[in-house]
């Protein structure tokens, strides 16, 4: 089954133009499924049954996996078996009639404008690391891009003159503008910090770690946790918290829903609309009056 999973992953890359993160996610989910099925004595996709897959879903739920995680792993399985069926490897699709568990929609956690200001102000030093950290935090809040997109940016993706970045997701790309604060932080980083961090190395990555290598998602996670703690923010802050805050602050300041959807790269408008539930309209007007990312 592992060979079929490898073929499917290659199909995602070459035919669907899926990003490396998407490929890795599917592969990880499917390999975990394959291990479970092998323990049942099923080593070939042709022998997988609906009953076996249902047992797998029940196993995940018994392990305490969140509904969203179970749904994602089932979606990976459905995509895989649908691919195998269409390739003629299966006479029937065993996952076709299996339904995902209901997902309880959670209201996104956002920071107040004041909390964001405190967070950004903590990265105010002049060392190469602090200049890089400030640039990354400012750019993340000013654009609302995903942390995977942030660490994957290349020098050619940023256009300082007109103030926008180009985000790549497989074969798709979108242009996202950023404001003055992010532009100034980026200019200081590029002028004073990127060279010292590279330590003589050459790379196309926009942001690097302190050894001049590629910045990882985990590395940036530690950065935002560090500054969140220093800023005294009680909310469990993650890189996605700034993405949520960017979206909510724009919408709550009257930005066009479709425009925010485009900037975030949401395929479904309903996903963007979820941010309007973060806070009541009356509180919005009082708490976020005049708040605009990047200003």
């Amino acid at each position: 089954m592992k060979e079929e999973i490898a073929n499917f992953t290659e199909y995602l890359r070459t035919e669907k133009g899926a990003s490396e993160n998407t490929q890795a996610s599917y592969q990880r989910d499917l390999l975990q499924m394959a291990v479970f099925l092998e323990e049942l004595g099923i080593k070939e996709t042709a022998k997988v049954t609906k009953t076996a897959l249902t047992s797998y879903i029940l196993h995940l739920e018994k392990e305490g996996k969140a509904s969203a995680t179970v749904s994602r792993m089932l979606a990976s399985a459905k995509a895989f078996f649908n691919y195998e069926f269409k390739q003629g490897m299966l006479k029937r699709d065993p996952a076709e009639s299996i339904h995902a568990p209901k997902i309880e929609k959670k209201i996104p956690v956002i920071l107040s404008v004041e909390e964001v200001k405190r967070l950004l102000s903590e990265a105010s030093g002049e060392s190469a690391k602090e200049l890089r950290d400030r640039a990354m935090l400012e750019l993340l809040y000013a654009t609302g891009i995903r942390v995977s997109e942030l660490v994957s940016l290349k020098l050619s993706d940023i256009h300082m003159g007109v103030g926008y970045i180009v985000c790549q997701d497989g074969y798709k790309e979108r242009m996202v503008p950023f404001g003055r604060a992010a532009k100034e932080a980026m200019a200081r980083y590029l002028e004073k910090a990127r060279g010292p961090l590279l330590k003589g190395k050459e790379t196309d990555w926009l942001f690097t770690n302190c050894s001049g290598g590629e910045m990882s998602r985990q590395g940036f996670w530690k950065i935002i946790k560090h500054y969140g703690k220093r800023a005294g923010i009680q909310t469990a802050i993650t890189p996605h918290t700034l993405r949520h805050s960017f979206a909510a602050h724009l919408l709550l300041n009257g930005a066009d829903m479709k425009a925010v959807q485009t900037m975030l790269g949401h395929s479904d408008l309903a996903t963007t609309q979820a941010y309007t539930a973060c806070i009541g309209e009356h509180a919005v007007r009082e708490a976020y009056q005049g708040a605009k990312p990047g200003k």
Side-chain angles (χ1 to χ4, degrees):
M1 195 177 300
K2 292 180 181 179
E3 184 177 347
E4 285 89 342
I5 292 173
N7 292 337
F8 174 67
T9 306
E10 180 65 12
Y11 160 77
L12 292 176
R13 184 183 71 83
T14 59
E15 300 296 327
K16 292 296 185 179
S19 67
E20 290 185 7
N21 287 332
T22 298
Q23 295 172 49
S25 177
Y26 272 100
Q27 188 174 51
R28 183 171 56 250
D29 289 349
L30 294 173
L31 288 175
Q32 183 170 329
M33 177 192 70
V35 169
F36 176 84
L37 293 174
E38 286 182 5
E39 290 176 352
L40 296 180
I42 303 172
K43 298 182 179 181
E44 300 173 16
T45 54
K47 294 184 178 180
V48 177
T49 63
K50 178 182 177 180
T51 300
L53 288 178
T54 301
S55 296
Y56 174 57
I57 298 303
L58 292 173
H59 165 72
L60 294 174
E61 293 177 338
K62 189 175 180 180
E63 278 194 329
K65 302 286 187 186
S67 296
T69 301
V70 176
S71 294
R72 189 203 72 228
M73 299 179 83
L74 176 57
S76 297
K78 279 179 169 289
F80 171 66
F81 286 110
N82 180 258
Y83 164 79
E84 289 284 288
F85 176 70
K86 289 184 175 179
Q87 292 293 311
M89 305 296 290
L90 301 175
K91 292 183 179 180
R92 55 184 177 76
D93 182 350
E96 184 177 15
S97 60
I98 298 178
H99 300 291
K102 290 185 178 180
I103 300 175
E104 184 177 326
K105 292 185 177 180
K106 296 181 180 179
I107 296 176
V109 175
I110 66 168
L111 301 177
S112 68
V113 173
E114 181 58 37
E115 286 176 322
V116 171
K117 289 179 179 178
R118 278 164 36 206
L119 174 69
L120 296 176
S121 67
E122 284 301 323
S124 58
E126 292 299 316
S127 69
K129 179 184 181 303
E130 289 173 308
L131 289 173
R132 179 207 62 192
D133 295 349
R134 180 63 178 259
M136 295 186 79
L137 290 169
E138 288 279 8
L139 191 61
L140 190 65
Y141 177 59
T143 60
I145 59 176
R146 302 173 180 88
V147 65
S148 58
E149 294 171 329
L150 179 71
V151 300
S152 298
L153 286 173
K154 296 182 179 179
L155 278 173
S156 57
D157 292 327
I158 187 162
H159 301 266
M160 293 289 289
V162 287
Y164 74 88
I165 56 174
V166 177
C167 284
Q168 306 284 345
D169 184 7
Y171 293 146
K172 302 176 186 176
E173 67 176 34
R174 69 184 191 282
M175 295 184 293
V176 187
F178 56 84
R180 186 183 67 251
K183 188 173 183 178
E184 291 174 353
M186 286 299 305
R188 290 195 299 272
Y189 163 68
L190 291 171
E191 180 184 353
K192 300 179 179 180
R194 189 170 182 274
L197 288 172
L198 286 175
K199 296 179 173 60
K201 299 178 183 178
E202 292 187 7
T203 181
D204 291 331
W205 300 117
L206 176 59
F207 297 110
T208 71
N209 57 31
C210 292
S211 301
E214 180 182 358
M215 170 69 71
S216 67
R217 288 182 295 172
Q218 292 78 10
F220 183 70
W221 185 288
K222 293 178 181 178
I223 289 172
I224 199 168
K225 288 280 189 183
H226 168 71
Y227 289 110
K229 184 177 181 179
R230 278 178 43 171
I233 296 173
Q234 301 301 313
T235 304
I237 189 172
T238 72
H240 234 58
T241 306
L242 276 184
R243 176 172 164 85
H244 292 328
S245 301
F246 159 83
H249 293 175
L250 280 180
L251 289 171
L252 301 176
N253 197 56
D256 178 72
M257 184 77 68
K258 290 287 290 184
V260 176
Q261 177 192 8
T262 299
M263 285 187 282
L264 292 173
H266 286 160
S267 58
D268 188 348
L269 184 61
T271 305
T272 313
Q273 290 172 329
Y275 292 108
T276 61
C278 293
I279 192 168
E281 184 176 348
H282 176 71
V284 167
R285 295 186 182 279
E286 289 196 353
Y288 298 98
Q289 186 65 37
K292 294 182 180 180
K295 296 295 184 183

